[in-house]
mmCIF file of all heavy atoms in Angstrom:
data_model
loop_
_atom_site.group_PDB
_atom_site.id
_atom_site.type_symbol
_atom_site.label_atom_id
_atom_site.label_comp_id
_atom_site.label_asym_id
_atom_site.label_seq_id
_atom_site.Cartn_x
_atom_site.Cartn_y
_atom_site.Cartn_z
ATOM 1 N N PRO K 1 0.784 -1.240 0.000
ATOM 2 C CA PRO K 1 0.000 0.000 0.000
ATOM 3 C C PRO K 1 0.816 1.289 0.000
ATOM 4 O O PRO K 1 0.640 2.143 -0.875
ATOM 5 C CB PRO K 1 -0.837 -0.127 1.275
ATOM 6 C CG PRO K 1 -1.001 -1.589 1.474
ATOM 7 C CD PRO K 1 0.294 -2.174 1.022
ATOM 8 N N ILE K 2 1.724 1.463 0.963
ATOM 9 C CA ILE K 2 2.455 2.730 1.092
ATOM 10 C C ILE K 2 3.341 2.969 -0.125
ATOM 11 O O ILE K 2 3.423 4.086 -0.658
ATOM 12 C CB ILE K 2 3.297 2.750 2.384
ATOM 13 C CG1 ILE K 2 2.392 2.609 3.613
ATOM 14 C CG2 ILE K 2 4.099 4.041 2.465
ATOM 15 C CD1 ILE K 2 1.350 3.705 3.758
ATOM 16 N N GLN K 3 4.008 1.914 -0.586
ATOM 17 C CA GLN K 3 4.876 2.054 -1.753
ATOM 18 C C GLN K 3 4.070 2.443 -2.988
ATOM 19 O O GLN K 3 4.482 3.299 -3.776
ATOM 20 C CB GLN K 3 5.623 0.742 -2.003
ATOM 21 C CG GLN K 3 6.625 0.824 -3.152
ATOM 22 C CD GLN K 3 7.378 -0.480 -3.365
ATOM 23 O OE1 GLN K 3 7.293 -1.386 -2.535
ATOM 24 N NE2 GLN K 3 8.093 -0.582 -4.459
ATOM 25 N N ALA K 4 2.902 1.832 -3.151
ATOM 26 C CA ALA K 4 2.051 2.130 -4.299
ATOM 27 C C ALA K 4 1.562 3.579 -4.262
ATOM 28 O O ALA K 4 1.519 4.268 -5.288
ATOM 29 C CB ALA K 4 0.859 1.175 -4.328
ATOM 30 N N ILE K 5 1.198 4.048 -3.070
ATOM 31 C CA ILE K 5 0.725 5.431 -2.927
ATOM 32 C C ILE K 5 1.827 6.425 -3.291
ATOM 33 O O ILE K 5 1.579 7.457 -3.910
ATOM 34 C CB ILE K 5 0.238 5.673 -1.485
ATOM 35 C CG1 ILE K 5 -1.042 4.880 -1.212
ATOM 36 C CG2 ILE K 5 -0.017 7.158 -1.224
ATOM 37 C CD1 ILE K 5 -1.460 4.867 0.242
ATOM 38 N N LYS K 6 3.073 6.094 -2.920
ATOM 39 C CA LYS K 6 4.198 6.991 -3.179
ATOM 40 C C LYS K 6 4.598 7.014 -4.654
ATOM 41 O O LYS K 6 4.985 8.062 -5.183
ATOM 42 C CB LYS K 6 5.400 6.572 -2.337
ATOM 43 C CG LYS K 6 5.245 6.868 -0.850
ATOM 44 C CD LYS K 6 6.488 6.430 -0.088
ATOM 45 C CE LYS K 6 6.364 6.768 1.397
ATOM 46 N NZ LYS K 6 7.554 6.316 2.168
ATOM 47 N N THR K 7 4.514 5.861 -5.312
ATOM 48 C CA THR K 7 5.053 5.751 -6.669
ATOM 49 C C THR K 7 4.005 5.962 -7.770
ATOM 50 O O THR K 7 4.356 6.362 -8.872
ATOM 51 C CB THR K 7 5.717 4.380 -6.877
ATOM 52 O OG1 THR K 7 4.754 3.339 -6.614
ATOM 53 C CG2 THR K 7 6.905 4.218 -5.939
ATOM 54 N N LYS K 8 2.733 5.695 -7.471
ATOM 55 C CA LYS K 8 1.697 5.810 -8.508
ATOM 56 C C LYS K 8 0.771 6.988 -8.218
ATOM 57 O O LYS K 8 -0.378 6.829 -7.804
ATOM 58 C CB LYS K 8 0.901 4.500 -8.611
ATOM 59 C CG LYS K 8 1.740 3.336 -9.133
ATOM 60 C CD LYS K 8 0.888 2.121 -9.421
ATOM 61 C CE LYS K 8 1.683 1.036 -10.142
ATOM 62 N NZ LYS K 8 0.864 -0.161 -10.421
ATOM 63 N N LYS K 9 1.282 8.182 -8.460
ATOM 64 C CA LYS K 9 0.533 9.399 -8.156
ATOM 65 C C LYS K 9 -0.708 9.564 -9.025
ATOM 66 O O LYS K 9 -1.663 10.244 -8.648
ATOM 67 C CB LYS K 9 1.442 10.626 -8.337
ATOM 68 C CG LYS K 9 2.699 10.619 -7.471
ATOM 69 C CD LYS K 9 2.352 10.714 -5.993
ATOM 70 C CE LYS K 9 3.618 10.830 -5.143
ATOM 71 N NZ LYS K 9 3.308 10.878 -3.694
ATOM 72 N N ASP K 10 -0.678 8.942 -10.228
ATOM 73 C CA ASP K 10 -1.803 9.088 -11.161
ATOM 74 C C ASP K 10 -2.716 7.855 -11.141
ATOM 75 O O ASP K 10 -3.430 7.581 -12.102
ATOM 76 C CB ASP K 10 -1.282 9.332 -12.590
ATOM 77 C CG ASP K 10 -2.366 9.844 -13.529
ATOM 78 O OD1 ASP K 10 -3.271 10.570 -13.053
ATOM 79 O OD2 ASP K 10 -2.321 9.516 -14.731
ATOM 80 N N ALA K 11 -2.689 7.105 -10.037
ATOM 81 C CA ALA K 11 -3.551 5.919 -9.913
ATOM 82 C C ALA K 11 -5.009 6.336 -9.775
ATOM 83 O O ALA K 11 -5.322 7.352 -9.144
ATOM 84 C CB ALA K 11 -3.133 5.080 -8.716
ATOM 85 N N SER K 12 -5.896 5.556 -10.357
ATOM 86 C CA SER K 12 -7.331 5.877 -10.342
ATOM 87 C C SER K 12 -7.871 5.990 -8.921
ATOM 88 O O SER K 12 -8.682 6.871 -8.616
ATOM 89 C CB SER K 12 -8.115 4.821 -11.125
ATOM 90 O OG SER K 12 -7.823 3.511 -10.641
ATOM 91 N N MET K 13 -7.418 5.131 -8.012
ATOM 92 C CA MET K 13 -7.870 5.174 -6.625
ATOM 93 C C MET K 13 -7.479 6.497 -5.966
ATOM 94 O O MET K 13 -8.295 7.141 -5.295
ATOM 95 C CB MET K 13 -7.267 4.010 -5.838
ATOM 96 C CG MET K 13 -7.650 3.995 -4.363
ATOM 97 S SD MET K 13 -6.669 2.800 -3.424
ATOM 98 C CE MET K 13 -7.247 1.258 -4.090
ATOM 99 N N LEU K 14 -6.222 6.908 -6.170
ATOM 100 C CA LEU K 14 -5.739 8.146 -5.548
ATOM 101 C C LEU K 14 -6.442 9.367 -6.125
ATOM 102 O O LEU K 14 -6.787 10.297 -5.393
ATOM 103 C CB LEU K 14 -4.229 8.267 -5.733
ATOM 104 C CG LEU K 14 -3.372 7.154 -5.128
ATOM 105 C CD1 LEU K 14 -1.895 7.486 -5.270
ATOM 106 C CD2 LEU K 14 -3.718 6.932 -3.673
ATOM 107 N N ARG K 15 -6.650 9.372 -7.433
ATOM 108 C CA ARG K 15 -7.351 10.493 -8.061
ATOM 109 C C ARG K 15 -8.779 10.611 -7.524
ATOM 110 O O ARG K 15 -9.280 11.715 -7.283
ATOM 111 C CB ARG K 15 -7.373 10.331 -9.575
ATOM 112 C CG ARG K 15 -6.012 10.436 -10.252
ATOM 113 C CD ARG K 15 -5.341 11.753 -9.990
ATOM 114 N NE ARG K 15 -4.123 11.925 -10.767
ATOM 115 C CZ ARG K 15 -3.180 12.801 -10.481
ATOM 116 N NH1 ARG K 15 -3.304 13.574 -9.411
ATOM 117 N NH2 ARG K 15 -2.109 12.899 -11.238
ATOM 118 N N ALA K 16 -9.435 9.476 -7.327
ATOM 119 C CA ALA K 16 -10.807 9.488 -6.812
ATOM 120 C C ALA K 16 -10.856 10.053 -5.395
ATOM 121 O O ALA K 16 -11.751 10.836 -5.052
ATOM 122 C CB ALA K 16 -11.389 8.076 -6.847
ATOM 123 N N ILE K 17 -9.873 9.691 -4.558
ATOM 124 C CA ILE K 17 -9.822 10.211 -3.185
ATOM 125 C C ILE K 17 -9.484 11.696 -3.180
ATOM 126 O O ILE K 17 -10.048 12.479 -2.407
ATOM 127 C CB ILE K 17 -8.807 9.412 -2.346
ATOM 128 C CG1 ILE K 17 -9.288 7.970 -2.176
ATOM 129 C CG2 ILE K 17 -8.603 10.051 -0.976
ATOM 130 C CD1 ILE K 17 -8.285 7.050 -1.516
ATOM 131 N N GLU K 18 -8.567 12.099 -4.058
ATOM 132 C CA GLU K 18 -8.194 13.514 -4.150
ATOM 133 C C GLU K 18 -9.388 14.388 -4.541
ATOM 134 O O GLU K 18 -9.477 15.546 -4.120
ATOM 135 C CB GLU K 18 -7.048 13.687 -5.150
ATOM 136 C CG GLU K 18 -5.701 13.218 -4.599
ATOM 137 C CD GLU K 18 -4.635 13.121 -5.665
ATOM 138 O OE1 GLU K 18 -4.940 13.410 -6.845
ATOM 139 O OE2 GLU K 18 -3.497 12.747 -5.327
ATOM 140 N N MET K 19 -10.284 13.845 -5.344
ATOM 141 C CA MET K 19 -11.486 14.594 -5.725
ATOM 142 C C MET K 19 -12.326 14.949 -4.505
ATOM 143 O O MET K 19 -12.906 16.029 -4.423
ATOM 144 C CB MET K 19 -12.327 13.781 -6.714
ATOM 145 C CG MET K 19 -11.749 13.723 -8.103
ATOM 146 S SD MET K 19 -12.840 12.805 -9.201
ATOM 147 C CE MET K 19 -11.873 12.850 -10.702
ATOM 148 N N VAL K 20 -12.379 14.023 -3.556
ATOM 149 C CA VAL K 20 -13.101 14.298 -2.312
ATOM 150 C C VAL K 20 -12.364 15.364 -1.512
ATOM 151 O O VAL K 20 -12.965 16.288 -0.957
ATOM 152 C CB VAL K 20 -13.274 13.017 -1.473
ATOM 153 C CG1 VAL K 20 -13.978 13.308 -0.158
ATOM 154 C CG2 VAL K 20 -14.069 11.973 -2.267
ATOM 155 N N LYS K 21 -11.046 15.255 -1.485
ATOM 156 C CA LYS K 21 -10.227 16.198 -0.713
ATOM 157 C C LYS K 21 -10.399 17.634 -1.205
ATOM 158 O O LYS K 21 -10.516 18.568 -0.402
ATOM 159 C CB LYS K 21 -8.756 15.788 -0.793
ATOM 160 C CG LYS K 21 -7.832 16.695 0.005
ATOM 161 C CD LYS K 21 -6.388 16.223 -0.093
ATOM 162 C CE LYS K 21 -5.475 17.156 0.703
ATOM 163 N NZ LYS K 21 -4.051 16.702 0.626
ATOM 164 N N ILE K 22 -10.441 17.834 -2.527
ATOM 165 C CA ILE K 22 -10.512 19.193 -3.071
ATOM 166 C C ILE K 22 -11.941 19.658 -3.329
ATOM 167 O O ILE K 22 -12.165 20.764 -3.796
ATOM 168 C CB ILE K 22 -9.679 19.316 -4.367
ATOM 169 C CG1 ILE K 22 -10.256 18.425 -5.486
ATOM 170 C CG2 ILE K 22 -8.227 18.971 -4.104
ATOM 171 C CD1 ILE K 22 -9.543 18.573 -6.816
ATOM 172 N N GLY K 23 -12.928 18.793 -3.039
ATOM 173 C CA GLY K 23 -14.319 19.202 -3.165
ATOM 174 C C GLY K 23 -14.970 18.919 -4.493
ATOM 175 O O GLY K 23 -16.108 19.348 -4.740
ATOM 176 N N MET K 24 -14.294 18.179 -5.387
ATOM 177 C CA MET K 24 -14.912 17.808 -6.663
ATOM 178 C C MET K 24 -15.944 16.698 -6.484
ATOM 179 O O MET K 24 -16.833 16.524 -7.310
ATOM 180 C CB MET K 24 -13.846 17.343 -7.664
ATOM 181 C CG MET K 24 -13.023 18.452 -8.276
ATOM 182 S SD MET K 24 -11.797 17.797 -9.441
ATOM 183 C CE MET K 24 -12.844 17.043 -10.697
ATOM 184 N N ALA K 25 -15.781 15.922 -5.428
ATOM 185 C CA ALA K 25 -16.712 14.824 -5.130
ATOM 186 C C ALA K 25 -16.949 14.784 -3.621
ATOM 187 O O ALA K 25 -16.188 15.352 -2.838
ATOM 188 C CB ALA K 25 -16.154 13.498 -5.620
ATOM 189 N N ASP K 26 -18.031 14.115 -3.221
ATOM 190 C CA ASP K 26 -18.368 13.980 -1.801
ATOM 191 C C ASP K 26 -17.990 12.615 -1.251
ATOM 192 O O ASP K 26 -17.902 12.433 -0.038
ATOM 193 C CB ASP K 26 -19.870 14.192 -1.596
ATOM 194 C CG ASP K 26 -20.334 15.533 -2.130
ATOM 195 O OD1 ASP K 26 -19.782 16.553 -1.694
ATOM 196 O OD2 ASP K 26 -21.235 15.566 -2.990
#
């Protein structure tokens, strides 16, 4: 998990979570 989060910045899972963080999604 931690290695994947650090190395795959453009992963679909991370992008989906970031959308919640910046207010694009709930």
Side-chain angles (χ1 to χ4, degrees):
I2 299 300
Q3 184 179 349
I5 291 170
K6 288 180 178 178
T7 57
K8 293 189 171 180
K9 302 294 185 182
D10 195 32
S12 54
M13 178 191 293
L14 300 186
R15 293 301 187 198
I17 294 173
E18 285 168 359
M19 286 182 182
V20 178
K21 181 179 179 180
I22 64 176
M24 284 180 63
D26 304 303

